[in-house]
Amino acid sequence: MKKIVLTGATSMLGVATIEEFLKQNIEVVAIVHRNSKNLYRLPNSSNLKIIEANLDEFSNLDSEFNDAEVFYHFAWAATSHSGRLNVDVQETNIRYTLDAVRLAEKCGCKKFIFAGSQAEYGLSDKPLNRETPIKPVNAYGVSKYAAEKLAEMLCNSLGLIFVGTRIVSTYGENDGANTLISYIIDCYRKNIQPVLTPCEQIWDYLYADDAARAFRLLGQCSTSGVYVIGSGKGLTLKSYVEKIYKLMNPNVPLVFGGKPYSENQVMYLQADISDLKRDTGFEPQIFFEEGISRILNSRR
């Protein structure tokens, strides 16, 4: 592989994946939202070309990067909690995904890799794999699954290899401010006691650099189909919070149960990555404590 195209380039996972490919001396064409305030996150490299285009412009982009081999589609509109419930906004993401598939074909790419979500599964009490029933409970999960299936059909008709991924829960240095990990770190840095649920949920966290390596391996292997992206290991959220507390040692008590669980709270979230391991050789390398230490070092 010599060149890839990637949308959603300034997201946490987009940045990590770009850096992963640049380390392998692979050229990257990064499509970013116009006037993105996060352009500073992108590395300075002669192997990185940046194209500014909004999602609704994908259908009009030309093929100036027509020697790319794999197209990664990470871009998605309205990923906030309220945005995920907005049926009309989520519906547009399906069309934008199909525009991305057509752009991939126009650019000469042979493979299209779609970044889906565990939200496609809804609520489950078993490790998630490609055979787990699909039962989304919000517009975001429904549209991710619809985009995945329609993109696969379009790829088949255009002669592209399709790889769907369902990401469980990633974290890293460019994580959103409203995630649990960012919230806890911010509270502890200010010596404010975070308001938490009982945190009894079983959760599977994967560091962004590990996730990026999984995406690179999926682009370089010859297989197709759907893969769940995660660490394959689950701990209670309480355990993760306690690990952060121990690393930061704030001057506030650690208290659980200050607020109730939300409606449709996911209580079990763990990936079955046996297919991913078998087909790509992927193994997570960054333990949770190391990942948190990297985040803390980056914010000092």
Side-chain angles (χ1 to χ4, degrees):
M1 188 188 304
K2 295 181 180 179
K3 180 184 287 190
I4 66 140
V5 181
L6 185 147
T7 71
T10 61
S11 65
M12 176 183 67
L13 188 53
V15 173
T17 304
I18 288 171
E19 291 174 342
E20 172 68 20
F21 276 106
L22 292 179
K23 284 189 294 185
Q24 304 294 321
N25 201 32
I26 294 172
E27 294 182 60
V28 177
V29 177
I31 302 178
V32 304
H33 193 77
R34 288 193 181 277
N35 303 313
S36 171
K37 63 181 181 180
N38 294 321
L39 275 174
Y40 72 91
R41 294 177 175 178
L42 298 179
N44 183 16
S45 171
S46 60
N47 276 341
L48 175 63
K49 178 176 183 178
I50 298 172
I51 295 177
E52 294 191 51
N54 296 333
L55 282 161
D56 58 3
E57 298 178 79
F58 283 8
S59 60
N60 297 321
L61 288 180
D62 59 31
S63 56
E64 60 180 285
F65 38 93
N66 55 11
D67 54 346
E69 297 160 78
V70 181
F71 195 107
Y72 288 86
H73 185 51
F74 292 159
W76 198 263
T79 57
S80 66
H81 176 70
S82 60
R84 292 182 181 212
L85 302 178
N86 189 316
V87 172
D88 293 320
V89 174
Q90 293 303 325
E91 182 274 334
T92 63
N93 282 306
I94 301 172
R95 174 162 40 88
Y96 297 149
T97 299
L98 298 179
D99 289 343
V101 173
R102 294 187 176 96
L103 178 59
E105 191 267 342
K106 185 191 299 185
C107 297
C109 292
K110 304 302 181 185
K111 179 182 285 190
F112 184 88
I113 298 182
F114 174 71
S117 168
Q118 53 83 17
E120 298 172 51
Y121 293 112
L123 307 178
S124 179
D125 59 0
K126 295 180 175 61
L128 305 175
N129 58 38
R130 62 179 62 169
E131 305 301 329
T132 302
I134 299 296
K135 296 180 181 179
V137 296
N138 58 29
Y140 175 76
V142 171
S143 60
K144 278 287 189 180
Y145 184 63
E148 173 194 296
K149 297 308 293 182
L150 291 173
E152 181 180 19
M153 292 177 183
L154 184 56
C155 282
N156 290 339
S157 69
L158 296 176
L160 275 67
I161 298 171
F162 176 82
V163 175
T165 64
R166 294 169 187 160
I167 304 167
V168 172
S169 192
T170 55
Y171 71 106
E173 295 170 21
N174 292 305
D175 209 349
N178 295 322
T179 65
L180 176 64
I181 289 177
S182 291
Y183 168 68
I184 292 171
I185 289 176
D186 187 53
C187 284
Y188 287 165
R189 289 185 67 186
K190 298 174 181 177
N191 279 313
I192 297 172
Q193 182 179 301
V195 181
L196 303 169
T197 69
C199 291
E200 300 160 315
Q201 308 97 307
I202 299 297
W203 219 255
D204 181 336
Y205 274 118
L206 182 68
Y207 193 67
D209 289 11
D210 272 339
R213 192 162 42 81
F215 274 99
R216 175 177 62 80
L217 292 170
L218 284 170
Q220 292 176 322
C221 73
S222 60
T223 58
S224 60
V226 174
Y227 295 87
V228 181
I229 306 293
S231 73
K233 297 179 180 178
L235 295 173
T236 63
L237 279 181
K238 183 177 181 180
S239 298
Y240 290 115
V241 174
E242 289 172 339
K243 290 175 186 292
I244 299 173
Y245 188 88
K246 184 176 181 181
L247 284 169
M248 298 190 70
N249 192 27
N251 293 318
V252 294
L254 179 57
V255 179
F256 295 95
K259 69 176 181 179
Y261 294 121
S262 62
E263 184 180 1
N264 290 323
Q265 174 67 57
V266 176
M267 296 301 296
Y268 186 92
L269 187 62
Q270 182 178 334
D272 173 358
I273 60 172
S274 53
D275 292 334
L276 182 64
K277 287 183 174 183
R278 181 195 64 226
D279 293 346
T280 70
F282 172 77
E283 288 285 351
Q285 295 179 350
I286 302 169
F287 292 109
F288 185 75
E289 291 89 342
E290 180 183 347
I292 295 299
S293 295
R294 291 188 183 188
I295 294 172
L296 295 177
N297 288 333
S298 73
R299 297 184 181 183
R300 288 196 175 101

